Amino acid sequence: MQKKLKFILGVLSCVTVVQSPAQETSLWYDAPADEWMKSLPVGNGRVGAMVFGGVDEETVALNESSMWAGEYDPNQEKPFGREKLDELRKLFFEGKLIEGNGIAGRELVGTPHSFGTHLPIGDLKIKFDYTGKEGGVEDYRRELDLTNAVVTVSFKKGGTKYKREFISSNPQDVVVMHFTADKKQSVSFDMRMKMITAAQVRTEGNLLVFDGQALFPKLGTGGVHFQGRVVVKVDRGEVEATGETVRVKHADAVTIVADVRTDYKNGQYESLCEKTVEKAIARPFETMKEEHVADYAPLFARVSLKLADDSKKSIPVDRRWKALCEGNKDAGLQALFFQYGRYLTIASSRENSPLPIALQGFFNDNLACNMCWTSDYHLDINTEQNYWLTNVGNLAECNAPLFTYIADLAHHGAKTVRTVYGCKGWTAHTVANVWGFTAPSEGMGWGLFPLAGSWMATHLWTQYEYTLDKDYLRRTAYPLLKGNAEFLLDYMVEDPNTGYMVTGPCVSPENSFRYQGWELGASMMTTCDKVLAHEIMSACVQASDILGVDKAFADSLRLALAKFPPFRINSFGGLCEWYEDYEEAHPNHRHTSHLLSFYPYAQITKEKDPELTEAVRTTIEHRLAAEGWEDVEWSRANMVCFYARLKDAAKAEESLNILMTDFARENLLTISPEGIAGAPFDVFIFDGNAAGAAGMAEMLVQAQEGYVELLPCLPVEWKDGSFSGLCVKGGAEVSAEWKDSRVVKASLKATADNLFRLQVPAGKDYTVRLNGKKFAANLDGNRCVVAYLKKGDVIELK
C-alpha cells in the first residue's frame, strides 16, 4: 500500500458513493409501427424479434444469429508466397507504384466462391379477431422498457383492454409472447409465418413448424439448414391447425414460444429446437418473465445516465426524434440513445452467443444482405465499432463471442498467411463471414488490408486493460495476440531507403491517393498499419512481462518497434494517412483509419502530443469541409469520439445530434442512409448505436492521459446530470453527479488491485474519503489524488 500523502484541500462533509437519480429508460410510442425501422427489438444474444405492435395484425420479425448462407471455401486464397512478395515489394521501394499496384490488383486478391451473408427468417403474422368488440382504438401505447428488456403493447378496443408482452429470454433461449385481455374469452387470432428465407411450413395442432436452408445464390453456394417452431398455449379457449395457420378462439390469455435453430456447428439442431420450445411452453409466462428479468436487469443496471430534466418523457420517442431533427435540443433523448446502445449490445452479444455482432447484429431487415456490401463482418471498422461500448459501458462479458470468433479467424487465418504471404502466425483481411473467410477480398482497392486481423485482436488486449484479469490474459488473449504478432514480425520488412520497419503492399481502408496522374490504392506502410502493428506488438511485450513468458520473443518485438517510422504531418497540416505525403484522391472519403492513433487508442494524446493532436483536428476539419463528405452512421459516430478526445464539447454534441437525426430513425436504430454506398433506401447498421454511445461515455470520463478525468467534454446542454458505473482502464468504475457543469460528488471504485490517479476538478474544495474515511493526500501536477487500491476500495469526492 502506498504511503498516504498529505491532503491540501479544505475539509468538507462526508462523501457517499454517487447514487444517480432516475433515468430515462423507455422507448414508447402512441401508434403501431408501419415499417421495420419503426419496430422495436428484443434479443437474447442468439434469437430475437422486431415487434411492430399492430392492432388488427401483429408482425413479429424473427431473426437468429447463425442464419447464414454460404459455406466453407478451401480455395478462398490465391497463392502468392514470400518470393513473389519480396519481388513486389522491390517495385514499391524503387518507386514503381503503378506497376506494383497492377500486380497487387491481379495477384493479391481473394477468390470467394461461397461467401454468403446473414439472412432474415421471416415474419410471424398474427391477425386478431375482434368480433363483438368493434369500435375505435383508445389509449394505445407501444413501449420498450430498457430496464427489463420487455416490449409491451396495450390499448382499448370495444370496451376491452388488451395487453401483449414480448421478451427474448436468455435462460429459456426462446422468444416469448403473452397476450391478455381484461375480459374473459377475448383473445382470438390466426397465426401464420410469412417466410423471407425459403422454407416448408406446416402445422401440428398448436404448433407451427418451418424447415429450410438459408440460400443466397448471388453470393455463392451453401447455407445453414434450419428449423423453426412456434408453439401456442391458451388459458381456456380453443386452438386448431388449418393448413399453414394456427387458429386461437376465445382465449382468456395466450402464451406463444418461438425458437429457430440452425445446423451451424450443431448437428442436433432439430431435436434441440423441439426440446427447447417444449420445455419453455410448459412454464408459466410470469415465471419465464421473472427469470428473464433476473438474468438481464443486473447487466443493464450497472450503468445509469441522467442528463438535464426528464420533462419530455411524456412525449412519444418518434415525436421527440422529429423535434430533434428540426433543431430542438433534447438531452434526455441523448441519454436514452446511450442506454439504448447498451441494451442493443446485451440483446445481440451474450456470453453464450454462438456468434458476435455482425453488421446488423442479427436484427436483419432484408436490406443489408441485398447490398453490394452484404450483411457480414466488415473488419475495417464496423465490427470493431460494434464493441467499442462493451468495456466502458460495463458489459465486459458481452465480448465473449467476439473472442471466440477471433480464435476462429486465427485458425483459418494461419492458412491464409502461409498461402498468400509465406508467413507464420495468423491474420484476416477486410471482410469475413462465419465460414472462415480470412483471405484478401476480390477487390484490391478495398480488400488488401492484412492488418484487419490485428485490429480485431486489439480488443483482446483492451479487455485485459479494463479488467486486469491475468487468467483471461494467459488463457485467451495472449495466445491469440502472440499469433498475430508472429505474423507481423515475419511479414514486416525493412525499407532499404530509410531503415524503417514497414508493412505492405496494403491499402489504407477503402481509400486511395494520386500518384503520377494515377489513382492508386496500394502502398507500403499506411499510418493505420503502423498504429495497429504498434498496438499488437506493445500488447505482447506488456503481456510477456505480466505473465513472465517469452522474453526472447518480447525482445524481438521491442527491436522491431524501435524501427517503426514516426507520425508525419502532411502538406495541409493534417496527419499523414500514408507512409509518404501522397495527394488524397478523395478528400471527402468517409474512412479516417489513420486517426485510430487518437481514438480508440492513445498513441497520440492531447496532453502529450499537442502538435500531432492539432494535426488530427486539421484532418477532421479537412474531411468535414470537403465537398460531398461521405457521411454515414459509423463515420459520424467516429466524429463524436474524436471530438470527445479533443475535448470540443460543442462539436461532439453537434455530431451526436447529427448521428441521431441524419443517421437514425424513429426507433433510434442507426442507418446507412439512402444514397450512400449504393443504398437505395435507409439500411440499419448496428455500429452507429454502439460507437455513438461509446463517444458519449468518452465525453463523460477519460483516462488516456494516465489519470481519470471527470466531465472532460461536457456540452452546455448537459450542465446538470449524473452517471454511475462507467468503466476505465486499470480496473475501476467511475460515477459522478454535477450541477451547473461543476462536479458535486464523484467516486472511483476499484474492480482490480491497482494504482489509480483521479483528477480532482478545479474550482471547488473537496473532501476526499477512502472507504468512508478521510484520506489525506497531496495532489500531483495534474491535481490527481494518487492511491493504490485493492479490489472493492472506493475513493470519493464531495
Side-chain angles (χ1 to χ4, degrees):
M1 187 72 145
Q2 252 198 357
K3 184 188 293 185
K4 294 183 180 179
L5 304 172
K6 290 185 178 179
F7 176 55
I8 61 173
L9 294 178
V11 176
L12 301 177
S13 60
C14 180
V15 181
T16 59
V17 178
V18 173
Q19 298 294 329
S20 296
Q23 55 182 323
E24 293 193 77
T25 53
S26 172
L27 281 74
W28 81 274
Y29 305 82
D30 60 4
D34 57 8
E35 60 174 304
W36 194 96
M37 285 303 304
K38 297 177 183 177
S39 61
L40 294 173
V42 293
N44 68 7
R46 182 189 67 83
V47 65
M50 300 294 293
V51 180
F52 284 59
V55 173
D56 295 323
E57 184 176 63
E58 177 65 89
T59 298
V60 182
L62 296 175
N63 290 116
E64 201 274 346
S65 65
S66 64
M67 186 65 64
W68 265 80
E71 59 188 352
Y72 173 67
D73 181 2
N75 302 307
Q76 59 177 277
E77 300 97 353
K78 182 179 287 189
F80 195 68
R82 179 60 68 92
E83 185 176 345
K84 286 185 177 181
L85 182 62
D86 290 342
E87 292 172 359
L88 179 58
R89 285 170 163 174
K90 187 172 183 293
L91 293 176
F92 279 88
F93 289 139
E94 291 173 351
K96 299 175 182 178
L97 271 66
I98 299 168
E99 184 180 349
N101 269 261
I103 295 172
R106 293 189 301 271
E107 301 296 326
L108 279 179
V109 291
T111 55
H113 306 106
S114 53
F115 187 83
T117 181
H118 184 264
L119 292 171
I121 298 168
D123 297 339
L124 188 66
K125 293 285 190 178
I126 305 170
K127 188 174 183 179
F128 291 90
D129 180 1
Y130 296 107
T131 302
K133 295 179 175 60
E134 293 80 4
V137 175
E138 302 176 88
D139 301 333
Y140 181 92
R141 185 179 179 96
R142 177 170 56 100
E143 180 177 17
L144 167 58
D145 186 343
L146 303 182
T147 62
N148 57 23
V150 178
V151 167
T152 304
V153 178
S154 61
F155 55 87
K156 289 182 181 178
K157 184 174 175 64
T160 300
K161 184 173 182 179
Y162 294 89
K163 181 179 180 181
R164 306 177 200 150
E165 294 176 275
F166 303 81
I167 62 174
S168 186
S169 165
N170 189 276
Q172 296 300 318
D173 208 6
V174 290
V175 173
V176 187
M177 297 157 252
H178 189 59
F179 304 161
T180 59
D182 67 353
K183 294 183 180 178
K184 300 289 187 182
Q185 299 182 300
S186 293
V187 182
S188 300
F189 59 80
D190 288 353
M191 181 180 74
R192 60 187 177 86
M193 274 299 298
K194 181 181 179 182
M195 300 300 300
I196 296 175
T197 303
Q200 297 294 318
V201 182
R202 68 183 190 275
T203 56
E204 302 171 2
N206 66 337
L207 182 66
L208 188 155
V209 184
F210 48 93
D211 298 271
Q213 185 177 11
L215 299 173
F216 200 73
K218 287 193 295 185
L219 292 173
T221 58
V224 297
H225 294 84
F226 64 88
Q227 180 175 101
R229 288 177 171 258
V230 185
V231 63
V232 175
K233 180 173 69 175
V234 300
D235 292 353
R236 299 187 11 164
E238 304 172 17
V239 184
E240 63 180 19
T242 305
E244 296 183 0
T245 301
V246 173
R247 179 165 296 157
V248 172
K249 295 180 180 179
H250 312 305
D252 292 347
V254 179
T255 301
I256 301 173
V257 169
D259 188 24
V260 181
R261 299 282 174 166
T262 80
D263 65 354
Y264 178 74
K265 298 184 178 181
N266 178 15
Q268 305 300 315
Y269 71 101
E270 293 169 307
S271 60
L272 181 60
C273 188
E274 181 178 3
K275 291 175 182 176
T276 302
V277 296
E278 285 180 356
K279 180 181 177 182
I281 201 65
R283 301 172 71 80
F285 170 73
E286 288 302 326
T287 300
M288 287 191 285
K289 181 180 175 182
E290 289 171 4
E291 292 170 344
H292 158 72
V293 173
D295 168 74
Y296 164 87
L299 284 173
F300 183 81
R302 290 175 182 173
V303 173
S304 69
L305 175 62
K306 181 175 176 60
L307 301 175
D309 62 65
D310 57 0
S311 61
K312 296 180 180 179
K313 289 175 67 173
S314 60
I315 303 172
V317 164
D318 53 343
R319 293 185 202 169
R320 293 174 68 178
W321 174 77
K322 288 176 182 176
L324 192 69
C325 292
E326 293 165 358
N328 295 282
K329 299 293 185 178
D330 193 338
L333 192 64
Q334 293 171 331
L336 186 61
F337 180 79
F338 169 82
Q339 288 288 41
Y340 193 40
R342 296 183 66 249
Y343 167 82
L344 291 169
T345 299
I346 301 170
S348 303
S349 188
R350 296 293 298 273
E351 287 182 274
N352 56 353
S353 296
L355 289 164
I357 305 169
L359 202 64
Q360 297 187 301
F362 56 78
F363 298 111
N364 196 318
D365 57 7
N366 201 33
L367 298 181
C369 50
N370 283 284
M371 295 292 97
C372 59
W373 20 277
T374 78
S375 185
D376 61 6
Y377 292 98
H378 272 52
L379 308 187
D380 63 352
I381 194 166
N382 308 93
T383 303
E384 290 87 352
Q385 276 195 337
N386 287 349
Y387 285 90
W388 280 0
L389 179 61
T390 46
N391 287 110
V392 69
N394 212 331
L395 296 172
E397 307 96 318
C398 292
N399 285 318
L402 180 69
F403 299 156
T404 301
Y405 184 69
I406 292 172
D408 193 60
L409 290 178
H411 171 73
H412 293 284
K415 174 176 176 283
T416 291
V417 298
R418 287 196 307 270
T419 304
V420 178
Y421 304 113
C423 291
K424 57 185 178 181
W426 73 272
T427 198
H429 292 75
T430 306
V431 298
N433 56 20
V434 301
W435 309 113
F437 188 89
T438 51
S441 306
E442 67 269 33
M444 183 274 291
W446 53 276
L448 185 57
F449 180 32
L451 269 70
S454 303
W455 195 344
M456 289 285 285
T458 62
H459 286 261
L460 295 157
W461 178 246
T462 298
Q463 177 91 339
Y464 175 76
E465 289 182 298
Y466 274 88
T467 64
L468 302 191
D469 184 341
K470 289 185 181 180
D471 188 51
Y472 152 80
L473 181 63
R474 180 180 296 105
R475 289 184 298 101
T476 301
Y478 181 64
L480 292 169
L481 287 164
K482 181 183 177 182
N484 188 247
E486 286 174 331
F487 162 69
L488 292 171
L489 203 58
D490 201 16
Y491 170 70
M492 294 182 74
V493 64
E494 186 174 305
D495 181 349
N497 302 305
T498 65
Y500 290 130
M501 291 289 289
V502 297
T503 60
C506 54
V507 300
S508 184
E510 305 189 37
N511 209 351
S512 55
F513 57 91
R514 298 197 183 280
Y515 183 80
Q516 296 181 359
W518 289 70
E519 181 178 332
L520 303 177
S523 68
M524 298 301 291
M525 191 57 145
T526 65
T527 299
C528 176
D529 273 17
K530 163 188 153 59
V531 171
L532 293 171
H534 188 281
E535 287 292 316
I536 294 295
M537 290 186 174
S538 297
C540 282
V541 168
Q542 294 177 71
S544 170
D545 291 343
I546 293 165
L547 300 175
V549 298
D550 295 332
K551 183 180 184 303
F553 180 63
D555 287 343
S556 67
L557 295 176
R558 288 186 178 94
L559 291 173
L561 285 165
K563 299 176 73 172
F564 274 34
F567 290 107
R568 297 175 180 176
I569 296 174
N570 62 25
S571 57
F572 63 81
L575 195 69
C576 272
E577 186 166 356
W578 294 276
Y579 187 44
E580 303 290 346
D581 185 11
Y582 299 126
E583 178 189 354
E584 296 175 326
H586 302 283
N588 63 339
H589 203 273
R590 61 195 177 277
H591 277 270
T592 51
S593 302
H594 49 315
L595 302 189
L596 289 173
S597 53
F598 192 65
Y599 184 94
Y601 312 122
Q603 294 178 30
I604 297 173
T605 72
K606 189 172 183 179
E607 188 173 298
K608 292 182 292 186
D609 310 287
E611 185 179 8
L612 290 174
T613 297
E614 192 56 34
V616 168
R617 180 186 287 275
T618 300
T619 300
I620 293 169
E621 293 175 348
H622 181 74
R623 290 289 168 93
L624 293 176
E627 183 178 354
W629 156 241
E630 297 177 333
D631 213 0
V632 292
E633 85 298 333
W634 62 259
S635 62
R636 184 50 65 172
N638 266 356
M639 294 304 154
V640 180
C641 297
F642 291 151
Y643 277 121
R645 280 279 171 96
L646 288 168
K647 302 181 183 179
D648 189 330
K651 291 290 187 181
E653 203 258 347
E654 177 186 37
S655 282
L656 176 61
N657 281 334
I658 292 172
L659 173 63
M660 292 179 61
T661 54
D662 293 358
F663 304 112
R665 287 289 302 275
E666 290 87 343
N667 59 6
L668 300 187
L669 292 181
T670 56
I671 58 167
S672 182
E674 177 183 353
I676 298 292
F681 27 62
D682 294 345
V683 182
F684 163 56
I685 307 293
F686 189 98
D687 49 33
N689 285 104
M696 291 183 68
E698 197 73 18
M699 295 165 74
L700 297 169
V701 62
Q702 294 181 21
Q704 72 277 1
E705 301 287 5
Y707 54 85
V708 175
E709 182 179 4
L710 302 168
L711 311 183
C713 185
L714 193 71
V716 173
E717 290 76 16
W718 298 2
K719 64 182 182 67
D720 300 326
S722 63
F723 70 81
S724 66
L726 292 179
C727 294
V728 292
K729 291 179 180 180
E733 295 178 359
V734 181
S735 302
E737 185 176 333
W738 61 96
K739 181 74 173 176
D740 294 326
S741 302
R742 295 279 183 90
V743 173
V744 176
K745 54 184 177 180
S747 68
L748 182 150
K749 178 181 178 181
T751 56
D753 300 350
N754 204 2
L755 180 70
F756 294 93
R757 300 174 69 218
L758 173 63
Q759 188 181 66
V760 177
K764 176 185 173 180
D765 288 343
Y766 293 86
T767 296
V768 179
R769 292 184 178 264
L770 174 61
N771 297 332
K773 297 180 180 179
K774 290 180 183 178
F775 178 64
N778 283 324
L779 302 185
D780 66 13
N782 287 301
R783 293 181 54 81
C784 293
V785 174
V786 183
Y788 184 87
L789 304 183
K790 302 292 284 184
K791 182 178 179 180
D793 287 349
V794 179
I795 281 187
E796 303 158 309
L797 306 177
K798 187 174 180 181

